[in-house]
Each structure stands twice: as structure tokens, then as C-alpha cells.
């Protein structure tokens, strides 16, 4: 494993391609590095100058008098391999490649150059960041090998002064946005430990750095801007490590839309992968998604400040002297999924003693300006916070001038030290910088965007709940085992697409056998005979790997009485042949109509990045119109399967509803576990499984799998499209 | 009509309750007023001091040497009526009542005092703002009768220097939040004309001020924070006037949640009304809803800057030197409902000529830092903006230092003057204040929140489209007329609840007669006979105003063959009597089962503030689970009725779908118009109508109204609850 410590904490650094030209990126890099009090030595390497910013320059890294741990390279792309090779030979441990023109460059030999970088890094076990990166910053070491204007030395120190309150590490492929988190967060008095931009990630990727940072144990929250994950196993291992360590990962994924996918591909050559798959991973490991720089910084600040007292639930009290501000915040909280309950009578009596007649203790607690002036923000918060009906507190303040807050400093400090529930401050006026600083030093991150304030409490509560579930291992066995040998035998036939009749033995091998009685026939007469034997209404379905969309093709008929079967047989065979004249037809399935049930779709879709994912949703128009689908990595445990069903918008339909009995969720969950295990056991072969519909009967009555389709690796390459239900 | 001009533009002002004590609200008010270069005279009125801030004080307003147009009152509530009376007698034209303790105060005589204020104002035709207001600011007159800290005189002038770029007026019941818009917006170099806080609105309400402001014609955008609308006619008239004048109203409604409703009630004694009704009004008149102070300020700034070139559609190009920033913005745009299409080949060739191999012209157009440095933001924008595939442009910039922008000033100015499509700038780094100022002066509002940036373009496009629809009158006749006399006769019977059988003649009078054949019977034998006469499967439904929820009560049976009818009759009558032993039972309706169709609910709900609203949504589980309902004011015109259906999440179901024919939207729209007209004609009597379900058959086949319920004024007072479908 390359030595990330040598990368982030080098004793000395060589800067290959150094320049003093303030207008160029090279010059900005040199100035930025030299502007901070880094304790090691910085050796400029360039053939153009004898001296750079007063430092002796060397024509080659080989001539530098001390071996640097880290080389920072900013020279044209085509010279990078030879310089990196030289570094490796000399014993340099780490490199940052800032140059562009690699895999992100269209129609050039950049991809080849990038492969060479990877090979050299491997050969010398070099920790290489980039290429096409914007460098990094290590605030504790005052080391900033980057040309980002955000890291230029200025009167403001890299770290806030005042008490240590927990630090954030930023990881981003994108340099501009990576350092923008620092720019926005530092202005809010947030402390950053590392900002690492990883560019094309030819060697190290963001999650490798995250792993180092988690082992180091000095980072309280991670902000990760993702374009594409390269290694799913690293991602899963590190994401679980962070969750266990109590370090939240606040993330944004670039490539949620087609346009975003295009951008990521051309920007850092990232394969953006399916956003649905990323979301499934984020939900599974408790990564917190953000949607704006300030929002993510606010979330990080709030969680860091309250990591020892995350809210036990979502009930919030709001304290305010502005009635309008309190009411608006209450609406914002409810929109964010929080509750704003009326307080209990004991708390209200305690509060009312301090309020004028035109204030109110109900919640929002509107003390009015007069009472707030007398008892102060902390005084009011203290009256409210012990209500047993609330889990957290928002205090609406005005931080326009620090004077008023200065007067309340001791009281606020005492409250921060004693409070067992999180308290967030929202200032409806723009805060004066000294006011932000004062509050930050006391342990109150200050938020000015209402939506961010409410959302911070909601995600804190969700994240705490998820972590509690996780104190047991999260990637546990499913309890579901299958007859691997039988399943392997079915798949070994090498069929590209398994239609229902062919898929059944595969599913049955894993205990998913709940299909209605059915017979495969090859003539109208045989169909009639089969229907008579079944003895109730039947469905007829053409079985052909070439006709996956049977309904649209007219190749299926439902609810047939015994006398209708022969004619229906002829009609669907004719339709099938019209639709696909050269289709291989295995026969026609005569199947008993299943009893009624809640129509669900259940499926597997293998994601290019993360492997097989389970997909569950309400069937029929719900999939097409309301997109009511949930996705999760497999294998899946019973507790998670149940929580997935609860996350469906239509979750209420599984319960008793308007006189209808509750659905057999146990049977559905069992099928989810088995299907997940099957997909995991054969992840190299099975590309998709589509059980659509699955009818979930009343409690105790099980499920019926009424149609099934399996696509294997061979099929995925051949087939023009995926079934609509899987185009999540 | 009271003289709002005298309120906002007084020649002289008396301040009743003046004080020099800087710690008190009175003192802050006096200092704030005196701190600005108001051209008129300010007369302190107080018995406690001979002089206030160097100005001679008077013991009574009667002693003031010149008659002031405006009196500002900040004395205890109980003295307000007598002082206001004195002002009225003297000929003062307007008053601002800052004191609290009126209708918003619990368990006091505040409500009575507020009624007295209203009576005095009416008697003397006084323009009265408040009580419980925080005053106002008129920036052009440098008049700030308010104690808001946001309006204290400071080194920053009230209005931005530089070219006039359009001004915003803020109207809010809440003082704190009202002036917070100024605080946030002024820091972004936005120009404000008036900030008016209206408090309890005993006399003037926000929409009265809006009317004045629209007539004046010097305000380019309104920001309105609403707690409750007092007069629906004023609201509708002024909202339409603003839309016609091209002045957007950017609004937030307090009271979207129960907690918000509580807060508004106790804060400014506002009856918050149903949020659904407000939303229907906002959609109808094109008010733009915001959710945060900064967001609303950003929306106002963007629309003002581009009001002469609003986007013709939702296709956006993104120009960037930060690949990550461009990709993230693309995702954000798509999430906001915008499109980010790949550009046309001609535009791409034009752009590609300037890009290095590792840039891309596809869209987002990632020029890379190198190319952007060469051609500048305006240069790149100019290459992109003429693409026929886009309606608007977002340029991702860094406004961290003004120097880079200063260099591009002339080019940016030329672009702003020439561009025919809107251009928004998003800075991913925090802008330096001189950079914001420079850009503002050139006509580019600068946005730092990505979500706000994308949303601004989306709402601009929506608002333009709505205005275009509105160039014809919006509150047009519906074309639907009814037989008012027959309907009036039905309603004159004074029934509280009309069950289906009783509601039918009322509906039929307005042409809503599409019910399946049905007969009311009073015995099992008659039921059997009726079913036989109908000659197909029937439904049996107990008709009782006391059993509105028939299904839950077991008082309905569906799909009955002729032999099942008698037993079903007995069973539902027994169930009905069990459910409501004293229920008045009108009989049992024997009704032919309707042919299948898309299940829709259609209804009327009378809102306390805005009167009757039409409600349409998908029936069945969709209403309960997905809340897929749309609400609009009545009467309704055909074009709007059609656009309502398109706004349903389930809109796609009305079209041809998976082999199913399209639904008869024309018939549904006709029923919506007729129902709306009925509700409007009898808005004083009809509280609710519930047609649930209405089955919409295939195109050309019409609709079937399968159940109906009407609640009148008498019923609304008696009935314990509303049907679930109307609890929107």
C-alpha cells in the first residue's frame, strides 16, 4: 500500500516545474506554498531559473541536496512519466500530479500517459495524487501544495483561533469545488484538517485518503464530492469504517443527471455510474447527501458541534423573539420532516412566568423582544430544553451585532456545556463576523439559511438512528441459502435470457417457488387440456427469450375460462409471430390465475460500479408514474429489507387499509433475502432479474410470483433495452 | 380610501412616545429616524423630556407647530385610541402604530383596543399601519420610522450607488423578517424602494400597500411574507394587477404546518387559512413561492435583472472553468426542472476552436482554467449563448477577487447590454464585496447558492409562460351555465348533507348528469325488481345523510348479480343500523355498475379565506398514499382546467398508456367547469361537494359520476369531519 502519510506529512517537498511568474499556475503554486509557515524545506526544480522566490532552484530532482518525501509536478503531461520514474528511482515516497491532459482529454494520448503513471506508481509503491488534481492542503502542517486561490496566504490563519471544536476533511476530485468548501466553511469559522483534491484518481482515490484520515482519528466529519467511485470494495469498507467511528460523510454526487454524467466523464474521466446505485449505497452506509456548498458546510458544522448529543428523535422546539421568524422556521422544520409539538403544561407554566401577554409558550415559543431582552437566548432555551416532548432546540437569533451576544457570553457558554440536547442557532439577519466567531468559540455553529438549519437536525436524527441499528454488523448474512449447484446448472446452459418457464428452476433453487400451478404446452389442444386439469381461470403466456415485453406484444391473455383457451392460444401465437417473426418460442405457459394481492415488483439490477442491487417497488402504474422504487445493495438482511419497504411512498398500502387486511410482509421479505442471495452468489453471471408482478397476499397467505425474467451476461450484451421497471 | 401616499411620503412626521434612551425601542426609533437625511421635519412628542436628540419636544401632538401628515405612535396600547383620535381630529392623514398588546395578546382587552383603532381610522379616513408593526422604510425619502436595527444609519447608504437597476419593495406582517430581507439583499447590492411591515393589519393590509406600489410603478419586484390574507377580493385584484404589470410577487406563506398556523395566530392574530388554498391562489396568479430569505432575495435579483429577457423555455447552457462546478450545476439544474441539452454542432465547432483537448463543448461547456483565462467569462458566454438549443445561460465563476473581473469589465458590460437571453452568474467561491458591486453595476446579480441559481431560471421561465397565457383576461367566464332556479330549489330545502340521491338533481341542473341508471328503493323486493329492470350487475348503496362513509360502514355492496340483490339489501340495511342506529335512511340506491375507467375524485371545498376551490386528483389509493391532488379557485376556464390535470403527478395516466386508450379529458374538463360554476353561484350555501369516484372512460365515452355528496352551510356546522378525500 502506498504511503499516504508521506504524501500528506512530508518532511521536505520538491516542486518540479517551479516558477516565480505570479500570473501562471506554476507561480501561484510556488507562492502559495511559500506563503505558509511549513516547517520542512521546499525545493524548486526548474531548468528556467536559478532561483525562485529567493530559494535556490535545481535543474533536476536528482540534484536536490536532501531527498524529499513528496514531489509536486506541474510540467506538461508528456514529461510526467519520465519525471515520476526519476522520483521513484530516487526513493521519493509520494507525488502530486497537477498537470492536465490525461484520461480527461479527448482524442489525445492522455489515457496512455495515465496508464504509465499508474504503472510507475505501482512499480515504486509511490502514493500518487492526480493527475489533473489541484493539490491538497494540510492545515496543521501549514502545507499547501496547490494553486487554488482559496489557499493563498492571507491575514486569516488556516485554522480558526480559539478552542478546538472538531475538524473537517474535504475530499474531492474537483479542485475548484474542493477548495470552495474551505472558502465557505472557513468564513463560518469551521476548522479544516485536510483538503485533498484527487483529480483523475489514476492511483489513489478519495476513499483511500478517507481510510487514512479515519485511521488517524483527528477528523470529526468528512465532506466528499464524488464524481465516480473506482473501487466498490474500498468504498464499502471505508464507508462502514466511518459509520462505526462516528464520523459522518457528507457527500454530493456529480452525475445525477445525464448532463452531470457527461460533465464528470469529460472532467476527471470518471464513470459516473448509476445515481440510483449511489443512492442505495448512501442509504445503506448512512452517507448524508448535500446539494450545495453552504448546505454541506452547515451540516458538517452542526454535526461536529453536537456529535456527543445527537437528537434522539425529530421533535423540535423553536425559541424566538421574532414571531414571524419562529413561524416560518416551524414550517421549514415540518417540511424537513421534523415535528414541532405543542409543549407540555409543566414546561409552558415555567416559560409563561417570563412572557408578556402577547408572547406564547406553545411552540414556537415566542418570547417577544421584551422578554428575550430580559432573560436572554440561553435563559429562554434553558426554560424550554427540558421539555420531555422535544429532542432538539432551534433558537432564532439576530447576530447582527456581537455586542448583545457578548453580554450573554457566559450564560451561552454554560448552556453549551450543560445541554444534553442539540441546540442550533439560526440568525435571520446577516451575522457580523465577530458574532460568528464568538458563537463558534462557544460551540454553537451559526446558520443563516433556514432550510439548512432544519435539515441539519433531521439528518442528525436519521444518522443517529442508523448508527444505532449498525452497532450490530451491517453486512451480515441473510439467513437465506440456496441450492447453488442446481442454480449453477441452470445458468451453465448459457442462455442469454431466461423466460418465466426457464427462470423457475433457478428461482426455486433459492426457495422462491411461490408461483401458481402452471404447465408448458405446445398446442392449443394441450393448452385446453392443461386448463381443464388446473380447474380454474388461467392465463396464457408465450414463452420466448426474444419477447420480454409480452403484454405489449399481445403475447399474453388473462382470466380465461376453459372454453376460451384454444382460441386464445391461436391468437397469442399469431401475435407473437407478427411481433418477432424469428423469435425462438419455447411454448405457451398455461397458469392458474393467482388470487388477488398487492402488486409489487421485485428485481435485481447489476450496477457497473457497485454490483448487484435489489430493487423493490409497487407495481402497475405506481412504477411508471410515481417512480415508487427503492434500491439496496445485496445481500440484504431482514431488518434492512423491512426498512426498505417502510421507505416506499406507498408503505401504508402494506398495512391494514380501509377494511383490507395487512399484506404478508414476512413472505415478501423472505423472497427479498433469497433473491438477494441468489444475485450475490452469481454476481458474475446474472445481470438482471425481473419478478413483475409479485402479488403479496393477505398476512399468512404468502406471495405469488406471477412473471419472471432473468438476463445473464450474454443477454445483457445482446438485448436492446432493459424492462421499463428496471430503468429505475 | 385612506391616503397611503401620505403614509409613505409625509412632509413632516410626529413621533408620539419619543425618547433619547438608546437602550429602549423608543430611543432606537428616534435615533434611526434622525440618522437618515429625511428632508421633512421630525417632531418628538413626549411629556418626559423637553428635548430629544437636540430637537425640541412637545407634550402633545396638538402643540406641534406644523401639522404632520404622519404620526408614529410608540406608547402603551391602552393610550393608543385616544392619541389616534387626537391625530384624526387635528387632520393628520396617516399613522404607524408600533405598540404591541392588541389582538395578538392572549387574554387581554387587546382585541377590543384593536377594534377601536379600526373604528377611529375609518371615522377620520386615516391610513393606519399596525398595530404591533415594526414600521417602514422609504429609501428614496430617507425616511425610516422603525426601530429595526437593520435600518440604523451606517456607512453603507440605503440605496446602492451606481446605475439604477430596478428596485424591490418588501411587505411583511413580521417586522424582524421584513427588514431581514433588506439586510440580506442590501449586502448583495440589491436596491429596495420600500420595506413596509404591517403587523396586525387592523386597517391597511399588505395587499393595500402592494396596490399603491403597483400604481406608483417604481417597483420592479415585490417580496411579500404572508401570515394571513384578510380580504380575498383585494388579494385577487392586486395579484392580477401585478401579473399584468409584469411585477413578480415573490412570496412565502407562514402557516404551512400546524405549528406555523399556531405561530401566525399568536404573532399577528392572523387566521392562517388553509395552505392548500393559498397555493392554489399562488399558482393561479403566478406568485412565486420562496422558502428562505436568501433564496427570495436571489429570485428577486435575478428576475429584476432579466425582466426584459425572461427565458422562453427551460433549456440551459452552463459555462465553466471548473469541471466539477459545471457538472454539479448541471445536476442542480435538472433537479430544478431545467434541461441541459448537448449543444448543436455549429455552436460546438465555434467553441471548440478555443478549447484545449481536455476541455469540452458539449454542455456543460468546460473551457478549463487555461481557456477561460484567455477568452474571459463574457468571451465564452458569447460563443455559447446563440445556440438555438438553449434559452438561458449560467456562467460558473469565481468572484473571490475583483481584480480578474475588473479586467473583464468592458467585455462583461457589452455582453449584458447585447444578450437577448438571461445570464446568471454562480460564484462557487465567496465573492469579495467589490466583486459583487462590480457585477451588480453591470447588471449581473451574483448568486452563491447553486439551488437558488437553478431555481431562479426555472421560475423565470414559468412566470413568463404564465403571463403569456394571461394576456387574455384570467378570470374569464367558464362557458358553463346552470339552471340556477332548479339548483336553488334543491338547496332551499335546507338539508345539511345531501346524499347521492339528493345531490343528483342539483348536479343535473348544472349538466353534471353522467350517472349510471339508478333507482331508489325501500324494500328488498323493490331492489330485486329494480336490478332486474336494469338488466346488468348493480351496486346497492344505503342513502343516508348520517352515513357519509358508506364503504367503511358496510352500507354499500358492488357487482351484484340479480339473485344476490335481496340478501345484499338486508345485509347493508342491517350494517347501516348497527353503525348509526338513529340515522335517517332515505332508501337504498340500486345502480348499474359503471363501465371501467380511470378513477378520479372531483370536489369543491370552501376555504375560509378564499372561498370555493375546485379539487381534482386521482382516486383510490392515489389520494390517500400519494396525495396527488390539485386545487384551484373557481370559476375555472377550460385552459386552466386542462393545465391543472397536467400538473397531477399521475398526468401520464390520462394519455394512451401501455395499450390502454387515452381518457376522455374533454368530458372531465367540462365537468370541472360546471362544478366550478355551481360552487361559485352558490358559494354562500355550498360548503363541500365530493364526487368520488368519477370514472373517466376512454376518449369519446364520457365520464360516470359514481358517488356524490354535498355539504351545505348547515351541514358544515353539524358534521364531525370532512370526507378523507377533501382533507387535502
Amino acid at each position: 500500500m502506498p504511503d499516504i502519510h508521506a504524501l500528506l506529512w512530508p518532511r521536505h517537498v520538491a516542486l518540479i516545474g517551479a516558477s516565480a511568474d505570479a500570473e501562471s499556475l506554476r507561480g501561484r503554486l510556488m507562492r502559495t506554498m511559500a506563503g505558509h509557515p511549513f516547517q520542512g524545506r521546499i525545493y524548486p526544480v526548474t531548468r528556467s531559473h536559478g532561483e525562485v522566490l529567493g530559494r535556490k532552484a535545481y535543474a533536476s530532482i536528482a540534484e536536490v541536496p536532501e531527498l524529499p518525501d513528496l514531489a509536486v509536478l506541474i510540467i506538461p503531461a508528456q514529461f510526467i512519466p519520465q519525471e515520476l520514474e526519476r522520483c521513484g528511482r530516487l526513493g521519493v515516497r509520494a507525488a502530486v500530479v497537477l498537470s492536465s491532459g490525461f484520461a480527461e482529454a479527448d482524442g489525445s494520448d492522455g489515457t496512455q500517459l495515465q496508464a504509465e503513471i499508474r504503472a510507475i506508481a505501482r512499480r515504486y509503491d509511490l502514493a500518487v495524487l492526480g493527475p489533473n488534481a489541484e493539490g491538497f492542503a494540510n492545515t496543521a502542517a501549514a502545507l499547501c501544495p496547490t494553486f487554488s486561490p482559496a489557499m493563498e496566504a492571507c491575514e486569516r490563519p488556516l485554522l480558526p483561533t480559539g478552542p478546538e471544536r472538531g475538524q473537517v476533511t474535504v475530499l474531492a476530485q474537483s479542485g475548484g469545488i474542493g477548495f470552495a468548501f474551505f472558502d465557505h466553511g472557513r468564513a463560518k469559522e469551521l476548522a479544516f484538517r485536510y483538503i485533498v483534491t484527487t483529480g483523475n484518481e489514476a492511483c489513489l482515490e478519495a476513499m483511500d485518503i478517507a481510510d487514512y484520515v479515519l485511521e488517524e482519528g483527528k477528523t470529526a466529519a468528512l465532506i466528499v464530492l464524488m464524481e465516480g467511485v473506482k473501487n466498490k470494495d474500498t468504498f464499502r469498507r471505508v464507508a462502514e469504517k466511518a459509520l462505526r467511528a462516528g464520523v459522518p460523510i457528507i457527500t454530493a454526487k456529480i452525475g445525477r443527471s445525464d448532463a452531470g454524467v457527461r460533465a464528470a466523464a469529460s472532467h476527471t474521466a470518471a464513470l459516473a455510474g448509476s445515481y440510483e446505485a449511489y443512492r442505495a449505497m448512501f442509504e445503506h452506509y448512512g452517507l448524508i447527501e448535500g446539494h450545495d456548498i453552504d448546505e454541506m458546510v452547515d451540516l458538517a458544522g452542526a454535526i461536529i458541534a453536537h456529535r456527543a448529543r445527537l437528537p434522539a428523535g425529530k421533535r423540535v422546539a423553536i425559541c424566538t423573539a421574532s414571531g414571524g421568524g419562529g413561524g416560518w422556521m416551524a414550517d421549514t422544520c415540518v417540511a424537513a420532516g421534523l415535528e414541532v409539538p405543542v409543549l407540555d403544561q409543566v414546561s409552558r407554566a415555567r416559560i409563561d412566568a417570563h412572557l408578556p401577554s402577547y408572547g406564547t409558550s406553545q411552540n414556537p415559543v415566542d418570547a417577544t423582544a421584551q422578554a428575550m431582552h430580559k432573560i436572554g437566548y440561553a435563559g429562554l432555551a434553558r426554560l424550554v430544553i427540558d421539555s420531555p416532548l422535544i429532542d432538539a432546540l432551534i433558537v432564532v437569533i439576530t447576530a447582527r451585532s456581537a455586542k448583545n451576544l457578548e453580554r450573554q457570553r457566559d450564560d451561552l457558554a454554560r448552556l453549551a456545556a450543560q445541554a444534553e440536547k442539540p441546540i442550533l442557532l439560526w440568525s435571520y439577519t446577516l451575522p457580523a463576523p465577530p458574532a460568528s466567531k464568538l458563537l463558534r468559540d462557544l460551540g454553537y455553529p451559526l446558520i443563516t439559511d433556514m432550510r439548512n438549519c432544519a435539515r441539519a437536525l433531521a439528518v442528525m436524527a436519521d444518522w443517529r438512528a442508523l448508527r444505532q441499528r449498525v452497532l450490530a454488523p451491517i453486512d451480515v448474512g441473510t439467513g437465506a441459502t440456496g441450492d447453488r449447484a442446481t442454480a449453477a446448472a441452470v445458468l451453465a446452459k448459457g442462455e442469454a435470457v431466461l423466460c418465466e418457464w426457464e427462470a423457475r428452476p433457478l428461482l426455486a433453487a433459492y426457495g422462491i417457488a411461490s408461483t401458481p400451478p402452471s404447465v408448458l404446452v405446445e398446442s392449443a389442444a394441450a393448452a385446453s387440456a392443461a386448463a381443464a386439469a388446473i380447474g380454474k381461470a388461467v392465463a396464457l403466456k408465450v414463452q420466448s427469450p426474444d419477447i420480454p415485453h409480452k403484454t405489449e406484444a399481445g403475447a399474453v391473455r388473462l382470466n380465461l375460462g376453459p372454453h376460451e383457451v384454444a382460441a386464445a392460444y391461436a391468437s397469442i401465437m399469431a401475435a407473437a409471430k407478427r411481433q418477432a417473426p424469428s423469435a425462438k418460442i419455447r411454448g405457451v405457459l398455461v397458469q392458474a390465475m393467482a388470487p388477488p394481492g398487492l402488486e409489487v415488483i421485485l428485481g435485481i439490477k447489476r450496477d457497473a460500479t457497485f454490483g448487484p442491487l435489489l430493487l423493490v417497488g409497487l407495481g402497475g402504474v405506481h412504477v411508471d408514474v410515481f417512480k415508487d422504487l427503492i434500491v439496496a445493495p445485496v445481500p440484504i438482511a431482514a431488518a434492512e429489507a423491512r426498512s426498505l419497504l417502510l421507505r416506499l411512498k406507498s408503505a401504508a398500502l402494506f398495512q391494514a387499509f380501509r377494511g383490507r387486511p395487512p399484506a404478508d410482509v414476512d413472505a415478501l421479505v423472505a423472497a427479498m433475502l433469497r433473491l438477494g442471495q441468489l444475485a450475490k452468489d452469481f454476481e458474475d453471471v446474472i445481470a438482471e432479474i425481473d419478478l413483475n408482478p409479485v402479488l403479496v397476499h393477505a398476512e399468512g397467505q404468502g406471495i405469488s410470483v406471477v412473471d419472471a425474467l432473468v438476463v445473464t451476461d450474454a443477454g445483457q450484451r445482446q438485448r436492446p433495452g432493459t424492462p421499463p421497471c428496471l430503468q429505475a
Side-chain angles (χ1 to χ4, degrees), chain A residues 326-339:
Chain A
W328 201 3
M329 180 53 90
D331 286 336
T332 306
C333 284
V334 172
L338 300 166
E339 292 165 52

Side-chain angles (χ1 to χ4, degrees), chain A residues 367-619:
Chain A
T368 77
Q370 284 79 340
M372 195 68 102
H373 187 75
K374 256 189 258 162
I375 59 176
Y377 296 131
L380 181 59
R382 201 172 279 115
L383 292 171
V384 174
I385 199 164
D386 288 332
S387 166
L389 298 185
I390 63 141
D391 304 305
L393 198 60
I394 291 175
V395 185
V396 178
I397 72 165
T398 165
R400 208 165 184 282
S401 104
K403 214 177 81 186
N404 178 32
L405 294 168
E406 193 61 65
R407 198 164 52 82
Q408 304 185 41
R409 177 194 281 270
D410 294 345
D411 203 18
L412 284 164
R414 248 193 323 278
L415 177 67
Q418 294 163 350
E420 288 170 2
K421 299 175 185 173
I423 302 172
L424 291 187
L425 308 187
W426 170 58
S427 174
Y428 57 88
T429 50
L430 290 183
S436 294
K437 172 87 176 83
L438 181 154
L439 291 170
R440 182 264 169 204
D441 285 355
L442 297 178
Y444 298 98
L446 182 61
I447 302 185
T448 59
D449 182 303
M450 323 176 62
R451 295 169 298 182
N452 296 357
C453 185
R455 181 146 192 259
L457 283 182
V459 302
M460 281 155 70
D462 284 337
W463 191 65
R464 175 180 161 144
L466 183 82
R467 286 199 69 224
Q468 282 179 336
R469 214 176 65 198
V470 168
L471 291 178
I474 56 175
D475 284 342
V476 294
T478 60
T481 51
D483 174 355
R484 284 184 82 130
T486 302
V490 174
L491 291 166
K493 291 179 192 159
E495 293 290 346
V497 174
L498 279 60
C499 55
E500 181 179 355
W501 181 250
E502 296 160 324
R504 281 182 57 183
L506 179 67
L507 296 168
Y510 275 71
I512 309 164
S514 33
T515 43
S518 27
V519 185
L520 189 74
V521 300
E522 291 182 29
S523 72
S528 292
I534 287 171
K536 45 179 171 169
V538 296
L540 258 56
K541 312 187 230 178
V542 172
Q543 296 294 292
S544 165
D546 302 316
I547 309 177
H549 304 307
K550 292 189 290 293
T551 305
E552 286 79 346
V556 57
R557 290 281 297 278
L558 304 177
N559 264 320
L560 300 169
H563 307 305
E564 301 169 290
V565 169
Y569 183 97
S571 130
I572 63 174
M573 285 297 277
K577 279 177 184 148
R578 257 197 318 278
Q579 171 81 15
S582 60
K584 290 184 293 262
I585 294 184
R586 312 278 192 228
V588 169
L589 200 61
V590 182
Q591 187 170 71
M593 290 301 296
L598 191 62
E599 202 178 319
V600 162
I601 77 160
L602 199 57
I604 293 292
K605 184 180 184 181
R606 194 175 53 192
D607 181 72
T609 304
F610 293 111
L613 303 170
L614 181 85
L615 192 149
V616 62
L618 220 63

